[in-house]
Amino acid sequence: MKIFEPHQVIFRENALEYPLARKMYKKFEEEGYLIKKAPAKGRLPIDYDKTFQQKYNQAKKTILVAVRSTNNFASCKPSAHYQLPLISGCPAHCHYCYLNTNMGKAPYIRIYVNHKEIFAKAEEYIAEREPETTIFEGAATSDPLPVEKWSGSLTEAIKFFAKTKNARFRFVSKFTEIEPFLNLDHKKQTEIRFSLNSKHIINTFEKGTPQIDERLKAATMLKNKGYPVGFLIAPIFTYPDWQKDYEELIKKISLHFKDEQNLTFELITHRFTDRAKNIIEKIYPKNKLPLDKNERQFKYGQFGYGKYLYPAEKYHELENYFQQKINDYLPDSKIKYFV
Ligand code: SF4
């Protein structure tokens, strides 16, 4: 699996007031990356004279180091109470990616450097809900792992939550560079999940991501270090061999995790928005995604825009199938939700 190499790294000038940004600047410089500076707000020093597709691809190869407003954190149902906004964006090119809805045509990989302020805001949310436990999701608008070697954001979050009462952290990834986490004193307060899919779906739609075996190996290493681990099977598609292929996947997981008592599953069926469909068709014109609205049911989601889901009958068939197979192969695991 090729490791992510950005084409350029842009630092907002106000980000450079933070020690983390200065440390990253030095590291990117030593590693020979193209570095640019930009004002705190406004246009970036990039080539805007490009087609839509070229601009999208340019953004996927651009890291933007910035300061995150901490006015509020978005909610994050059903995976957590709040998003923890440390990173947004992802360098991979999964055709179905949900980021096509919320990041649109300029999916820069943003690293936010004001960790202390972000964690302080998290503490406010935790205090509001005490004595209940508040759960934060670190991958709501990103796959944060490909930039961890520069940002250290997840490492900081794991350390922060290890010493914070009434709170837990979780994030999900398709990537496997988990070495920074292996020797952290995480106190089981961080749950790391891997997003998996059938081999057919990975090979057809998930461009630039590691294969199933690599993800399972990373999950096993984390499990052996005491982390709570889990799996997202997402997005779930129906296609001619879906039952056989998904059974093969669940069987494979069971070979690695059959003795694990606290394994969790999160199951998300494929859905798309008008905005995502529009972008996907421009960026990946030859994609084979099932994006025919006539074959879907329309529903409003938590952020106010509508989504096209599988129709009720198919949805229930999928739900029953996954419940049955996970129960057959991994009876001690827990399905957190099926959506
Ligand atoms: S790995 Fe996740 S965040 Fe990255 S492109 Fe694929 S679906 Fe999107």
Side-chain angles (χ1 to χ4, degrees), residues 48-61:
Y48 286 96
D49 190 18
K50 286 178 180 288
T51 64
F52 186 93
Q53 193 177 36
Q54 287 167 336
K55 277 192 235 168
Y56 182 95
N57 289 336
Q58 172 177 254
K60 282 267 181 188
K61 290 272 187 189

Side-chain angles (χ1 to χ4, degrees), residues 56 60 89-100 139 141-144 146 172-175 195 205-209 215 234-235 284:
Y56 182 95
K60 282 267 181 188
C90 170
H93 279 267
C94 304
H95 294 168
Y96 55 71
C97 181
Y98 64 102
L99 297 182
N100 286 322
T141 58
S142 68
D143 191 316
V172 58
S173 183
K174 289 188 173 78
F175 289 85
S195 171
F205 300 125
E206 296 186 2
K207 304 298 173 191
T209 63
R215 299 182 207 177
Y284 311 112

Side-chain angles (χ1 to χ4, degrees), residues 158-159 178-186 222 225 227:
I158 292 169
K159 288 188 202 163
I178 45 86
E179 289 74 19
F181 314 137
L182 294 177
N183 293 316
L184 296 179
D185 183 15
H186 54 80
L222 290 164
K225 289 288 180 179
Y227 281 94

Side-chain angles (χ1 to χ4, degrees), residues 11-29:
F11 285 79
R12 292 273 189 203
E13 272 164 5
N14 58 335
L16 284 163
E17 291 164 18
Y18 292 81
L20 173 60
R22 293 197 293 276
K23 193 172 138 197
M24 283 169 52
Y25 192 102
K26 198 160 168 267
K27 201 160 190 257
F28 281 119
E29 204 171 37

